[in-house]
Amino acid sequence: MTLRPLTHADTRRLAEFLGALSPESRRFSTFGGYDLATARELCDAIARYDKLRLVLEDVPSGRVVGLLEFSLALTPADIARYQDAGLRLTETTDCRFGPTLADDYQGRGIGTLAFPLVTEVARLLGRPRIILWGGVRADNPRAIRYYEKNGFRPVGFFTEPDGSLSLDMMLDLRPAPGRTGLSTRRGHP
């Protein structure tokens, strides 16, 4: 597997990736469509907006098997929901993150293997806190477990426009107060 920035040359492979997503995966994603037009729109937006899109590519086949999206902009709805939960979001500290994996790659540990790279990207972007892009659907326990396993903490529930329940979650990459972030082992400085 390779995690790399989305390029214009990925348009057709990205369209194949989007088109192959199951109805269940589509229900959990935030794309406006799952076709070549959407893939073109995503690729045409490269370096135009506040977003960074990375693809997870199966190297032997060249197949796109994941799309990981970062946004440096926060929506008014995100800011309001987190404020209601007692957290102040700012565009200098926070970014939004949303992953989508091909159905046949879900549950295989690929997302967990890629996650250290996700946190490194956030750090390189100067964002020590990551919130979920659109939250996570409350009826998606596998995704909630994935986020919790990778350090995200629940912030609060909210109702989607379609009436379904979603959960906001946040990952704070800064060391806990009183910790330097350096680990020591007994007998080793």
Side-chain angles (χ1 to χ4, degrees), residues 10-152:
D10 291 318
T11 303
R12 290 228 177 265
R13 289 183 298 153
L14 184 61
E16 291 168 6
F17 163 75
L18 293 171
L21 291 173
S22 70
E24 184 74 359
S25 290
R26 291 177 183 197
R27 192 171 75 79
F28 295 136
S29 72
T30 57
F31 301 111
Y34 299 90
D35 55 11
L36 183 58
T38 301
R40 277 192 185 119
E41 181 181 313
L42 293 171
C43 290
D44 287 346
I46 293 171
R48 268 207 219 147
Y49 303 108
D50 68 305
K51 299 186 181 47
L52 170 63
R53 292 184 172 102
L54 305 170
V55 291
L56 194 56
E57 179 182 27
D58 180 71
V59 176
S61 69
R63 178 180 164 211
V64 171
V65 298
L67 180 62
L68 309 177
E69 298 183 282
F70 287 91
S71 176
L72 302 181
L74 303 170
T75 68
D78 290 333
I79 293 168
R81 285 195 322 269
Y82 278 79
Q83 187 168 350
D84 288 347
L87 292 167
R88 184 171 177 261
L89 297 180
T90 69
E91 291 193 0
T92 58
T93 59
D94 303 309
C95 65
R96 295 182 297 151
F97 167 69
T100 305
L101 283 179
D103 290 270
D104 57 333
Y105 280 76
Q106 294 175 16
R108 294 176 47 187
I110 304 298
T112 299
L113 288 173
F115 202 76
L117 298 172
V118 168
T119 59
E120 184 61 21
V121 167
R123 283 188 181 102
L124 290 170
L125 293 172
R127 301 304 196 269
R129 295 192 311 184
I130 304 171
I131 66 170
L132 297 181
W133 193 313
V136 58
R137 297 278 180 145
D139 63 347
N140 190 354
R142 185 167 67 176
I144 292 170
R145 278 191 308 274
Y146 166 78
Y147 292 123
E148 287 176 334
K149 180 172 74 172
N150 285 290
F152 281 84

